[in-house]
């Protein structure tokens, strides 16, 4: 069991963006960072992946954690300024949505769509391209043309409006299969 | 373990593969897959196949990627994801140019004018040659350095590049002859390994000797080597080993230095480790920038395969080629890459010693760590322990580059200070250059001012200064250089090399680089970014990236307007631009 799972079953809230009950833990967004203390040592760990163990003491909020979550939210808001999920986090952690220069790509690379398509649907219609700051999601046009139109199950998972936009774009560029 | 095999039933097709694409792919891979080669196609060798296509065609055409996906029974998305992750693969429909010239613009090469040179060369050479600014290629002692179609050229000038392209200057310009197996055996090489095979030593006492010697991992993290062997050996078999020769930390070239000279000494150390830990198969991960080392190692492994001096059967050894990705030096990212995936670090726990390569317990060791094993075991570690200065113990191979008279790999006592290193081992500073600052551990280890040139350099000694020694790559700056510009270059390096998996590093390195380009730094914002990167990043890349920036705020505030301009720590006056003038 993960720290996140244990917290949820005890009714303790830990914010998450890239986690989903149907998907394997990804640990990419880092919103779920908590302080874990074991054997006299405290470290910052991601709750969605870190396993619980005997005598582990977990702090889900502290000055340090709140500041990290605040900065992460501010960083993500530079990319998806209108995301309702992020704006709510911003209220909780006093994040300033204009702190970093805007570069709206709208996608925050939580990977929910990519992983849902691969792990649940096993279609691999959408994937991650490139790496680092140039990382982005991309539909495989030929698959999008034949598979995605009738599925679209990943759309509601997206915490921003990026997924739909990417799909519409690909759709407009691909000849329809009929 | 291999999710790729789970889902071919009813698999969406993606791009149609034509018989011609299939034939083209088969022809390209024929030599690799021929009997005596690597045998049938395997998912984990995806990167090797991509290399074959890239080498032959100069790019990766989509049609061949689709054919490759079909042949490996994996999705096209997976192939694109992997191919687009690595710098040395060009996923484009047209061949970008007939030759690619990669000019290093990171460490000492930047000080030697790498970026200006890159711009000049692109103009000079025209469209048929592609000039790319590259992260450190590990030839810092010959700055500025470049790769011309994969082969190294040092002391780059436009003339020398033209000569290399015209074939009038043949590459590589070798500076050392690798010692062959016979010569190594003649001086007592492989004797220890043979004795291990003959049962003259037991692995417990070998590990104990290593522990007493105090040998620590020389790849950067400094984990005690003997203890690591013990941990992996206690795991259930089969156990694997991955040797890290990614050597991507800017300013580091020690692994190359030793491989070019004594490949068998490294191999003996590696095989002793495999024997002591009970390793079934070894994967050597060598960075793509080291084409010469690739040939040397392949030849040495071939010699080893045909030898008659060892009584025991050797474990299976595979030599793997990186594809341009600094992050693949991080051990779990390297493991992912060996499995044929993108080099994305794994979340821990579990640690690779427990669940590593192909989910097996894995011993990961740096090339140089293994290189010292035979000598340490032969004299019980005495030659190692009896060295050291200023209260420190052991030897370190410093890769020294920058403004010193004789840059290179310097085997010096651990705990030596920068001043001693420059004066005693590097012939002093270059004429006309006065010490201003130094990076004690490549791009990751921070940056220190000249007034701290008397601090012992070793594991654990630099933490109080916000620095660490890492792979002991020392880049020396003079008063003609600027700490701010260097820090900015390093941050751009991290931004370009981040795997992009986690928010604080992917966005943080990119935002920090932009903020650091400003004349006056936004200190509170940069400090907040640094805290998120250090605290929340998944791997050491993101965690260590802020070191340079925090060091500039601490030791060179006047360079970035973080305090009143005036004279800096070295007593130098600062120009109106906030940054000191560079030559
Ligand atoms: C971003 C990053 C890059 C690294 N690059 C290298 C490298 O190029 N070579 C290396 O041996 N270790 C590198 N390391 C350290 C490895 O993760 C690992 O600690 C090392 O290979 C273990 O071998 P050792 O104990 O012999 O040093 C890197 C670590 C990080 C976080
Ligand atoms: S498109 Fe949406 S769901 Fe997909 S990775 Fe981006 S933010 Fe996440
Ligand atoms: S810290 Fe950077 S390189 Fe490491 S996992 Fe995160 S994004 Fe990737
Ligand atoms: S929910 Fe744990 S890192 Fe995203």
């Amino acid at each position: 069991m993960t720290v996140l799972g244990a917290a949820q079953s005890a009714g303790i809230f830990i914010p998450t963006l890239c986690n989903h009950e149907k998907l394997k833990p990804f640990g990419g967004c880092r919103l779920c960072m908590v302080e874990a203390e074991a054997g006299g040592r405290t470290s910052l760990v991601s709750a969605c992946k870190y396993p619980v163990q005997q005598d582990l003491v977990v702090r889900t909020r502290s000055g340090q954690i709140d500041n990290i979550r605040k900065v992460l939210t501010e960083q993500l808001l530079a990319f998806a300024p209108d995301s309702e999920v992020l704006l709510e986090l911003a209220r909780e952690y006093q994040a300033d949505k204009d702190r970093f220069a805007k570069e709206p790509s709208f996608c925050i690379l939580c990977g929910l769509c990519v992983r849902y398509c691969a792990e649940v649907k096993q279609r691999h219609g959408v994937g991650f391209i490139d790496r680092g700051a140039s990382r982005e999601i991309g539909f495989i046009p030929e698959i999008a043309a034949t598979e995605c139109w009738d599925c679209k199950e990943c759309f509601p998972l997206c915490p921003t409006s990026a997924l739909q936009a990417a799909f519409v774009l690909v759709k407009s560029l691909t000849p329809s299969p009929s | 373990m291999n999710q790729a095999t789970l889902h071919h039933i009813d698999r969406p097709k993606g791009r149609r593969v034509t018989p011609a694409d299939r034939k083209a792919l088969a022809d390209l891979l024929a030599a690799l897959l021929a009997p005596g080669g690597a045998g049938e196609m395997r998912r984990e060798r995806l990167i090797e196949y991509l290399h074959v296509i890239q080498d032959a065609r100069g790019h990766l055409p989509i049609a061949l990627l689709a054919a490759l996906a079909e042949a490996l029974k994996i999705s096209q998305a997976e192939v694109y994801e992997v191919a687009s992750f690595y710098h040395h693969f060009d996923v484009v429909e047209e061949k970008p140019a007939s030759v690619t010239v990669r000019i290093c613009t990171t460490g000492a090469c930047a000080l030697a004018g790498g970026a200006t040179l890159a711009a000049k060369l692109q103009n000079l050479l025209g469209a048929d040659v592609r000039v790319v600014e590259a992260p450190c290629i590990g030839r810092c002692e010959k700055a500025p350095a470049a790769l011309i179609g994969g082969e190294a050229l040092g002391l780059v000038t436009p003339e020398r590049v033209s000569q290399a392209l015209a074939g009038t200057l043949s590459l590589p310009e070798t500076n050392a002859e690798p010692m062959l197996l016979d010569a190594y055996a003649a001086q007592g090489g492989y004797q220890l390994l043979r004795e291990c095979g003959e049962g003259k030593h037991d692995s417990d006492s070998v590990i104990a000797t290593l522990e007493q010697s105090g040998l620590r991992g020389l790849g950067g993290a400094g984990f005690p080597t003997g203890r690591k062997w013990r941990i992996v050996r206690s795991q259930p078999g089969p156990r694997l080993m991955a040797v890290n020769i990614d050597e991507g930390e800017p300013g580091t070239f020690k692994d190359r230095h030793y491989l070019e000279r004594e490949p068998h000494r490294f191999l003996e150390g590696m095989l002793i480790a495999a024997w002591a830990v009970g390793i079934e198969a070894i994967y050597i991960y060598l960075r793509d920038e080291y084409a010469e080392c690739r040939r040397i190692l392949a030849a040495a492994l071939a010699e080893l395969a045909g030898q008659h001096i060892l009584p025991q059967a050797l474990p299976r050894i595979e030599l793997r080629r990186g594809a341009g990705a600094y992050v693949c030096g991080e051990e779990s990212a390297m493991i992912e890459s060996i499995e044929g995936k993108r080099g994305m670090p794994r979340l821990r726990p579990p640690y690779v010693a427990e669940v590593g390569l192909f989910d097996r317990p894995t011993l990961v060791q740096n090339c140089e760590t293994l290189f010292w094993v035979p000598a340490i075991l032969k004299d019980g570690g005495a030659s190692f322990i009896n060295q050291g200065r200023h209260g420190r113990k052991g030897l370190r191979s410093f890769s020294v580059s920058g403004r010193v008279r004789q840059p290179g790999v310097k085997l010096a006592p651990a705990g030596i200070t920068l001043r001693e290193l420059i004066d005693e081992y590097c012939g002093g500073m270059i004429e006309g250059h006065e010490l201003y600052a130094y990076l004690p551990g490549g791009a990751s280890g921070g940056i220190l001012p000249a007034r701290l040139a008397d601090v012992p350099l070793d594991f654990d000694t630099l933490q109080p200064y916000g620095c660490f020694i890492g792979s002991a790559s020392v880049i020396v700056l003079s008063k003609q250089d600027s700490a701010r510009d260097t820090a900015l270059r390093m941050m751009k390096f991290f931004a370009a090399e981040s795997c992009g998996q986690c928010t604080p590093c992917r966005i943080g390195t990119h935002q920090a680089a932009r903020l650091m380009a400003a004349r006056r730094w936004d200190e509170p914002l940069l400090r907040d970014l640094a805290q998120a990167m250090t605290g929340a990043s998944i791997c050491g890349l993101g965690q260590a990236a802020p070191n340079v920036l925090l060091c500039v705020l601490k030791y060179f505030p006047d360079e970035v307007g973080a305090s009143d301009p005036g004279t800096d720590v070295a007593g130098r006056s600062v120009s109106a631009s906030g940054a000191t003038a560079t030559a």
Side-chain angles (χ1 to χ4, degrees), chain B residues 328-346:
Chain B
C328 288
E330 194 282 336
E331 57 185 10
S332 64
M334 175 179 71
I335 282 172
E336 290 281 306
S337 189
I338 294 173
E339 292 181 0
K341 302 177 189 158
R342 291 168 292 178
M344 308 233 278
R346 295 178 181 172

Side-chain angles (χ1 to χ4, degrees), chain B residues 456-508:
Chain B
L457 302 175
D458 196 8
F459 292 121
D460 315 323
T461 56
L462 300 175
Q463 270 80 344
Y465 303 94
C467 290
F468 65 82
I469 190 152
S471 53
S473 35
V474 177
I475 307 171
V476 179
L477 308 191
S478 79
K479 292 194 173 178
Q480 298 187 13
D481 308 313
S482 125
R484 169 196 171 278
D485 291 355
T486 302
L488 173 58
R489 259 195 318 274
M490 295 312 180
M491 193 56 78
K492 285 183 178 165
F493 162 80
F494 289 124
E497 297 301 321
S498 160
C499 83
Q501 183 176 207
C502 68
T503 311
C505 169
R506 179 186 69 244
I507 307 185

